[in-house]
Amino acid sequence: MTLHTASWIPWLPALAAVLCGLCCIYRPLRILAAPICILSILAAFVITCCTYSNIVDTDPHATAHVVKLFTWISVAGFSADMAYYLDPLTMIMLIVVTGVGTLVAIYAAGYMAGDRGYARFFAAVSLFIFAMTTLVMADNLLLLYLGWEGVGLCSYLLIGFYYQKPSAVAAAKKAFIVNRIGDLGFALGIMLTYQQFGTIQYAPLFEILNTQSPSTASTAVQVIPFLLMLGAFGKSAQLPLYVWLPDAMEGPTPVSALIHAATMVTAGVYMIARLFPLFELSPYALPTVACVGAATALFAGTIALCQYDIKRIYAYSTISQLGYMFLGLGVLSTTGAMFHLFTHAFFKALLFLTAGSVMHSLAGQLDLRHMSGMRRKMPVTCWLMFAGCLALAGFPFTAGFYSKDTILADTLAKGLNEHNRLYILLAVVGLVTAFLTAFYTFRLWFRVFMGPTKYDMGDEHAHAHAAQEAHPPGHSDITVEHHHDAHEVNWLMNAPLVVLATGALLAGYLAHNWLPELVLNSSATPAHLGAQHAAEHQTTLFGIDLHLAMMIISSGIAVLGIATAAYYHWLNRPAADRVAAQWPSLVRILANKYYVDEFNNRVIVEPLRLLGYLCFVFDRLVIDGIVNLVGFIPSLFGLAIRPTQRGNLQGYGLGMATGTAVLVLIVLVAYA
């Protein structure tokens, strides 16, 4: 298989999107939408694996290969190709997008069964994968931006999938608008990059950047990373542009898994890693990324402590884990950031999908206060989620343990080697957040699955039950199962979860050697950083290797967080209520998410809505009034003349005679 075959990776899902769209039109074909979507993404995954073999296995130190399809734009000296940039960093991202995307699509085939928008859902998912793979494989910044906006559009379509629900429509609009704020900065950054360097294609751009340094870079060049950073913060939900991601839970659960684990939110991390040489040209860019990442990790972690919606808990967890990735990028640990992105895809997709299984079983119930002891009703889901919780908590030797510790160790090493208290503080923030992560993760698991069996079905039946009402027997083209009690989901949904659980437990151990080497051979790690990473690995703490010391410390923190959650949310639940009663103000602040949404509504949304209303009134009264007045003046003359034009011939004759007499009289008077 040649490298040109890799060009099929994005276009197979694009073809599937078209075919699924056709299935929407003809009802009997709708059930084919899921197989079409799954097979297209699976085929893309197979091609990715073969391409990986061609690029990496044949040459472990390969840098990049460019596959050009055609010249996309060529005008006035500006050119952009429809071309794909294949290097080890691209391969890592494609494995995540197509591999996890395939598993999510298989799960969705069972989860979405019976929904009236079944084919529409898989058309949007296929389009989503097309946009994300285009973003990842792009050879230039303009093509990357095309994929970037594509995933933004698809997120709008999928978050607002249940468009009959006002909350879903509002969440979709919120995601779209907030991302537009970040994308404006990203677009300006691309324009300024072209203005300063004369190219937006990666290969020539990286050659130019290798000759630059912070001391020689102009002020305009040093502004570029901050503009690009704004786009990354919006797409990857960092402070202050994180507010759209928790509301994205309004979409179907497979959408949550797809957005949070494999596609959209990882785009910002990937973009910074890809353009890392550009971010190095500003001495303040990467420290800003690190500080924002650490602050976001701690901020979102504290909010997750007091949430009760199981999907929103995992949503804030995603924001927190993305903060870790940005922290890694900011301290020059691109290997740690991409490693955590890779492992996070497995366990976060697993956690969202198992949460979807619980929701599916309990007819839409998401409030963990209304469920307990579910391990007896859903034993498979219970232990699958347990595997994901272990990985998220960073339990020793799970996937999250290896990748998160890499970031924390590199952060602390940078602080110790440079005698920089800021980075030491950021490492401490990361460790505190690790404890919070372990606690809130197992708070959820112990509340849902342990203790006495107790559960309430949701107020509204899940999508399958609603679909059965929408498609009465004899009229539905998709079979829907009825269950009137909590139950384990079928194996069409559980089978991909087993694969994800295996990845959540083993991906870190299997990838901790080869994945960092791949990142080191990509644009994410310039040559001089390789030596710096080697020096960091020689740093010691308490007389032992720093990375080993961090593993020991974080292991203890993870176990302590799990044990604390077990005591308060399994063994002695009244104690948790007593602690909450002692800190009512703090609990209320965390439960209301620091009132950020209320602040935004009061300070930003409502003033803008008022301004819009005033503009509307001004437009109606002033602008429309002027236009109507201009049109009314000729109408007024017409009204005055209209009585003279009634079709009365005698009147016309009398008028002509009278007019002639008047003219003659005027002439006689004038010449008298």
Side-chain angles (χ1 to χ4, degrees), residues 163-457:
Y163 56 85
Q164 303 91 342
K165 293 174 55 180
S167 58
V169 174
K173 290 192 293 185
K174 187 175 184 179
F176 191 80
I177 293 171
V178 172
N179 273 278
R180 297 291 70 72
I181 297 171
D183 292 355
L184 174 62
F186 189 32
L188 293 174
I190 293 174
M191 295 177 189
L192 192 55
T193 299
Y194 178 75
Q195 191 268 333
Q196 290 294 311
F197 300 108
T199 182
I200 57 170
Q201 291 184 237
Y202 292 156
L205 179 62
F206 293 151
E207 289 181 5
I208 297 172
L209 294 176
N210 288 335
T211 64
Q212 301 269 329
S213 67
S215 59
T216 61
S218 65
T219 302
V221 169
Q222 295 190 17
V223 168
I224 293 174
F226 289 92
L227 294 173
L228 301 178
M229 194 188 305
L230 187 62
F233 289 166
K235 198 67 73 182
S236 293
Q238 298 295 284
L239 287 170
L241 301 178
Y242 74 95
V243 292
W244 67 271
L245 193 56
D247 290 353
M249 300 301 98
E250 292 293 338
T253 298
V255 171
S256 303
L258 197 63
I259 291 176
H260 286 245
T263 56
M264 184 171 173
V265 297
T266 62
V269 178
Y270 167 77
M271 184 267 286
I272 293 180
R274 171 61 73 200
L275 301 176
F276 205 75
L278 193 54
F279 278 77
E280 283 194 293
L281 294 183
S282 171
Y284 305 107
L286 291 176
T288 301
V289 171
C291 291
V292 170
T296 303
L298 181 61
F299 180 81
T302 56
I303 293 177
L305 292 173
C306 293
Q307 300 302 303
Y308 296 102
D309 184 312
I310 58 177
K311 287 175 64 176
R312 286 184 183 271
I313 292 172
Y314 287 143
Y316 282 105
S317 169
T318 298
I319 297 171
S320 183
Q321 297 305 304
L322 288 166
Y324 273 113
M325 298 175 205
F326 278 89
L327 173 60
L329 292 171
V331 299
L332 309 181
S333 180
T334 52
T335 55
M338 295 307 300
F339 189 13
H340 198 49
L341 184 154
F342 179 81
T343 59
H344 178 263
F346 288 97
F347 59 76
K348 189 50 62 69
L350 173 63
L351 291 171
F352 269 110
L353 296 182
T354 49
S357 296
V358 173
M359 178 183 174
H360 190 85
S361 173
L362 296 181
Q365 182 62 263
L366 284 169
D367 193 327
L368 58 82
R369 292 171 292 188
H370 296 285
M371 56 186 83
S372 176
M374 291 297 294
R375 71 185 185 283
R376 298 180 181 89
K377 295 289 185 178
M378 308 181 69
V380 177
T381 301
C382 168
W383 298 112
L384 287 172
M385 184 182 284
F386 181 74
C389 288
L390 287 176
L392 176 56
F395 191 79
F397 309 113
T398 59
F401 168 76
Y402 287 99
S403 57
K404 190 186 299 182
D405 285 355
T406 301
I407 294 173
L408 294 176
D410 287 347
T411 303
L412 185 57
K414 186 174 180 61
L416 294 176
N417 291 337
E418 297 180 4
H419 304 288
N420 191 319
R421 294 180 180 178
L422 172 62
Y423 294 113
I424 296 175
L425 176 62
L426 295 182
V428 173
V429 170
L431 289 171
V432 172
T433 305
F435 172 79
L436 298 179
T437 303
F439 179 80
Y440 69 67
T441 300
F442 276 89
R443 165 183 174 258
L444 186 157
W445 189 81
F446 286 127
R447 285 279 179 177
V448 173
F449 291 105
M450 306 306 287
T453 302
K454 179 190 71 174
Y455 56 88
D456 297 328
M457 305 297 268

Side-chain angles (χ1 to χ4, degrees), residues 629-642:
L629 179 62
V630 171
F632 178 71
I633 292 174
S635 299
L636 186 62
F637 282 110
L639 290 172
I641 298 173
R642 186 183 299 172

Side-chain angles (χ1 to χ4, degrees), residues 506-518:
L506 301 178
Y509 174 76
L510 297 176
H512 79 284
N513 286 325
W514 64 266
L515 191 143
E517 183 179 354
L518 290 181

Side-chain angles (χ1 to χ4, degrees), residues 26 434 585:
Y26 188 54
S585 299

